[in-house]
Coordinates of all heavy atoms in Angstrom, one line a residue:
L741 N 121.4 90.5 91.2 CA 121.9 91.3 90.0 C 120.6 91.9 89.4 O 119.6 91.5 89.1 CB 122.5 90.3 89.0 CG 122.9 91.1 87.6 CD1 124.2 91.9 88.1 CD2 123.3 90.0 86.6
E742 N 120.8 93.3 89.2 CA 119.8 94.1 88.5 C 120.0 94.1 87.1 O 121.2 94.5 86.6 CB 119.8 95.6 89.0 CG 118.7 96.5 88.2 CD 118.9 98.0 88.4 OE1 119.6 98.3 89.5 OE2 118.3 98.8 87.8
P743 N 119.2 93.5 86.2 CA 119.4 93.4 84.7 C 119.6 94.8 84.1 O 119.0 95.8 84.6 CB 118.2 92.6 84.2 CG 117.6 92.1 85.4 CD 118.0 93.0 86.6
D744 N 120.4 94.8 83.1 CA 120.6 96.1 82.3 C 119.3 96.5 81.5 O 118.9 95.7 80.7 CB 121.9 95.9 81.4 CG 122.2 97.2 80.8 OD1 121.4 98.2 80.8 OD2 123.4 97.2 80.1
A745 N 118.8 97.6 81.9 CA 117.5 97.9 81.2 C 117.7 98.2 79.6 O 116.8 98.1 78.8 CB 117.0 99.2 81.8
K746 N 119.0 98.4 79.1 CA 119.3 98.6 77.8 C 119.4 97.3 77.0 O 119.4 97.3 75.8 CB 120.6 99.5 77.7 CG 120.5 100.8 78.4 CD 121.8 101.5 78.3 CE 121.8 102.8 78.9 NZ 123.1 103.5 79.0
D747 N 119.5 96.2 77.8 CA 119.6 94.9 77.1 C 118.3 94.3 76.7 O 117.4 94.0 77.6 CB 120.3 93.9 78.1 CG 120.7 92.6 77.4 OD1 120.1 92.3 76.4 OD2 121.5 91.8 77.9
A748 N 118.1 94.3 75.4 CA 116.7 93.9 74.9 C 116.4 92.5 75.2 O 115.2 92.0 75.2 CB 116.6 94.1 73.4
T749 N 117.4 91.5 75.5 CA 117.1 90.2 75.8 C 116.9 89.9 77.3 O 116.7 88.8 77.7 CB 118.4 89.4 75.4 OG1 119.5 89.7 76.1 CG2 118.8 89.7 73.9
A750 N 117.0 91.0 78.1 CA 116.9 90.8 79.6 C 115.5 91.0 80.2 O 115.3 91.2 81.4 CB 118.0 91.7 80.3
A751 N 114.5 91.1 79.4 CA 113.1 91.4 79.8 C 112.7 90.3 80.8 O 112.1 90.6 81.9 CB 112.1 91.4 78.6
A752 N 112.9 89.0 80.5 CA 112.5 88.0 81.5 C 113.3 88.1 82.8 O 112.6 87.9 83.9 CB 112.7 86.6 80.9
A753 N 114.6 88.3 82.7 CA 115.4 88.5 83.9 C 115.0 89.8 84.7 O 115.0 89.7 86.0 CB 116.8 88.6 83.5
Q754 N 114.4 90.7 83.9 CA 113.9 91.9 84.7 C 112.8 91.5 85.5 O 112.5 92.0 86.6 CB 113.6 93.0 83.7 CG 113.2 94.3 84.3 CD 114.2 95.1 84.9 OE1 115.5 94.9 84.8 NE2 113.9 95.9 86.0
R755 N 111.9 90.6 84.9 CA 110.7 90.3 85.7 C 111.0 89.4 86.9 O 110.5 89.6 88.0 CB 109.7 89.5 84.8 CG 109.1 90.4 83.7 CD 107.9 89.5 83.1 NE 108.4 88.5 82.2 CZ 108.8 88.6 81.0 NH1 108.7 89.7 80.4 NH2 109.2 87.5 80.4
S756 N 112.0 88.7 86.8 CA 112.5 87.9 88.0 C 113.0 88.8 89.0 O 112.8 88.6 90.2 CB 113.6 86.9 87.5 OG 113.1 85.9 86.6
F757 N 113.8 89.8 88.7 CA 114.4 90.7 89.5 C 113.4 91.4 90.4 O 113.4 91.6 91.6 CB 115.3 91.7 88.8 CG 115.8 92.8 89.6 CD1 116.8 92.7 90.6 CD2 115.3 94.1 89.5 CE1 117.3 93.7 91.3 CE2 115.7 95.2 90.3 CZ 116.7 95.0 91.1
L758 N 112.4 92.0 89.6 CA 111.2 92.7 90.2 C 110.4 91.8 91.2 O 110.0 92.3 92.2 CB 110.2 93.2 89.2 CG 110.9 94.4 88.3 CD1 109.9 94.7 87.2 CD2 111.4 95.5 89.1
H759 N 110.3 90.5 90.9 CA 109.6 89.5 91.7 C 110.3 89.4 93.0 O 109.7 89.4 94.1 CB 109.5 88.2 91.1 CG 108.9 87.2 91.8 ND1 107.5 87.1 92.3 CD2 109.4 86.0 92.3 CE1 107.4 86.1 93.0 NE2 108.5 85.4 93.1
V760 N 111.6 89.2 92.9 CA 112.4 89.1 94.2 C 112.4 90.3 95.0 O 112.3 90.3 96.2 CB 113.9 88.6 93.8 CG1 114.7 88.4 95.1 CG2 113.8 87.2 93.0
R761 N 112.5 91.4 94.4 CA 112.5 92.7 95.1 C 111.2 92.9 95.8 O 111.2 93.3 97.0 CB 112.6 94.0 94.0 CG 112.8 95.2 94.8 CD 113.2 96.3 93.9 NE 112.1 96.7 92.9 CZ 112.1 97.7 92.0 NH1 113.2 98.4 91.9 NH2 111.1 97.9 91.2
E762 N 110.0 92.5 95.2 CA 108.8 92.5 95.9 C 108.7 91.6 97.1 O 108.2 92.0 98.0 CB 107.7 92.2 94.8 CG 106.4 92.3 95.5 CD 105.2 91.9 94.5 OE1 105.6 91.6 93.2 OE2 104.0 91.8 94.8
A763 N 109.3 90.4 96.9 CA 109.4 89.5 97.9 C 110.2 90.0 99.1 O 109.9 89.9 100.4 CB 109.8 88.1 97.5
F764 N 111.2 90.6 98.8 CA 112.2 91.3 99.8 C 111.4 92.3 100.6 O 111.5 92.4 101.9 CB 113.4 91.9 99.1 CG 114.3 92.5 100.1 CD1 115.3 91.8 100.7 CD2 114.2 93.9 100.5 CE1 116.2 92.5 101.6 CE2 115.0 94.4 101.3 CZ 116.1 93.7 101.9
M765 N 110.6 93.1 99.9 CA 109.9 94.2 100.6 C 108.8 93.6 101.5 O 108.6 94.1 102.6 CB 109.4 95.2 99.7 CG 110.4 95.8 98.8 SD 111.8 96.6 99.7 CE 110.9 97.8 100.6
E766 N 108.1 92.6 101.0 CA 107.1 92.0 101.8 C 107.7 91.2 103.0 O 107.2 91.3 104.1 CB 106.4 90.8 101.0 CG 105.4 91.4 99.9 CD 104.8 90.3 99.1 OE1 105.1 89.1 99.4 OE2 104.0 90.6 98.2
A767 N 108.8 90.7 102.9 CA 109.5 89.9 104.1 C 109.9 91.1 105.1 O 109.9 90.7 106.3 CB 110.7 89.2 103.5
S768 N 110.3 92.2 104.6 CA 110.7 93.3 105.6 C 109.5 93.7 106.4 O 109.7 94.2 107.6 CB 111.3 94.4 104.8 OG 112.5 94.0 104.1
D769 N 108.3 93.7 105.9 CA 107.1 94.1 106.5 C 106.5 93.1 107.4 O 105.6 93.3 108.3 CB 106.0 94.7 105.6 CG 106.6 95.9 104.8 OD1 107.5 96.6 105.5 OD2 106.2 96.3 103.8
D770 N 106.7 91.7 107.0 CA 106.1 90.7 107.7 C 106.4 90.7 109.2 O 107.4 91.1 109.7 CB 106.4 89.3 107.1 CG 105.6 89.0 105.8 OD1 104.6 89.8 105.6 OD2 106.0 88.1 105.1
R771 N 105.5 90.0 109.9 CA 105.7 89.7 111.4 C 105.5 88.3 111.6 O 104.7 87.6 111.2 CB 104.8 90.5 112.2 CG 104.8 92.1 112.1 CD 106.2 92.5 112.6 NE 106.3 94.0 112.7 CZ 106.8 94.8 111.6 NH1 107.3 94.1 110.5 NH2 106.9 96.1 111.8
I772 N 106.3 87.8 112.7 CA 106.3 86.5 113.2 C 105.1 86.4 114.2 O 104.9 87.4 115.0 CB 107.5 85.9 113.8 CG1 108.6 85.8 112.8 CG2 107.3 84.6 114.6 CD1 108.5 84.5 111.9
H773 N 104.2 85.4 114.1 CA 103.1 85.3 115.0 C 103.5 84.7 116.3 O 103.2 83.6 116.7 CB 102.0 84.4 114.4 CG 100.7 84.6 115.2 ND1 99.7 85.4 114.9 CD2 100.3 83.7 116.2 CE1 98.7 85.2 115.8 NE2 99.0 84.2 116.5
F774 N 104.1 85.7 117.1 CA 104.4 85.3 118.6 C 103.1 85.8 119.4 O 102.5 86.7 119.1 CB 105.7 86.1 119.1 CG 106.9 85.3 118.6 CD1 107.8 85.9 117.7 CD2 107.3 84.1 119.1 CE1 109.0 85.3 117.3 CE2 108.5 83.5 118.8 CZ 109.3 84.1 117.8
V775 N 103.0 85.1 120.5 CA 101.9 85.4 121.5 C 102.7 86.1 122.7 O 103.7 85.5 123.2 CB 101.2 84.2 122.0 CG1 100.2 84.6 123.0 CG2 100.5 83.6 120.7
G776 N 102.3 87.3 123.1 CA 102.8 87.9 124.2 C 103.4 89.3 124.0 O 102.7 90.1 123.3
A777 N 104.7 89.5 124.1 CA 105.2 90.8 124.0 C 105.2 91.2 122.4 O 105.3 90.4 121.6 CB 106.7 90.9 124.4
P778 N 105.1 92.5 122.2 CA 105.0 93.0 120.8 C 106.4 92.8 120.1 O 107.5 92.6 120.7 CB 104.7 94.4 121.0 CG 105.3 94.8 122.2 CD 105.0 93.7 123.1
D779 N 106.3 92.7 118.8 CA 107.5 92.7 117.9 C 108.4 93.9 118.3 O 108.0 95.0 118.3 CB 107.2 92.7 116.5 CG 108.3 92.4 115.6 OD1 109.3 93.1 115.6 OD2 108.3 91.4 114.8
P780 N 109.7 93.6 118.5 CA 110.7 94.7 119.0 C 110.7 95.9 117.9 O 111.0 97.1 118.2 CB 111.9 94.0 119.2 CG 111.9 92.8 118.5 CD 110.3 92.3 118.5
R781 N 110.4 95.5 116.7 CA 110.5 96.5 115.6 C 109.3 97.4 115.6 O 109.3 98.5 115.0 CB 110.5 95.8 114.3 CG 111.9 95.0 114.0 CD 111.8 94.2 112.7 NE 110.6 93.3 112.8 CZ 109.9 92.8 111.7 NH1 110.2 93.3 110.5 NH2 108.9 91.9 112.0

C-alpha cells in the first residue's frame, strides 16, 4: 500500500513504504553467486 501523501498522520507509514520499495529495487538488481554459466538475465 502506498500511503496517501495528503494524510498528515501517514509520515511513518510513508517511510516504511519507501524502505520496502528500495529493498524491492535492490532485490531486482541482486545476483545469486553461482559458479559457472552467467546469470541468464
Side-chain angles (χ1 to χ4, degrees):
L741 182 68
E742 178 187 347
D744 187 349
K746 300 177 182 178
D747 188 342
T749 65
Q754 182 72 24
R755 288 192 294 272
S756 296
F757 170 77
L758 294 175
H759 173 66
V760 177
R761 187 173 69 176
E762 181 180 354
F764 178 89
M765 301 309 296
E766 288 179 359
S768 298
D769 293 335
D770 281 349
R771 296 293 186 267
I772 293 284
H773 187 89
F774 281 111
V775 176
D779 191 299
R781 293 171 299 152

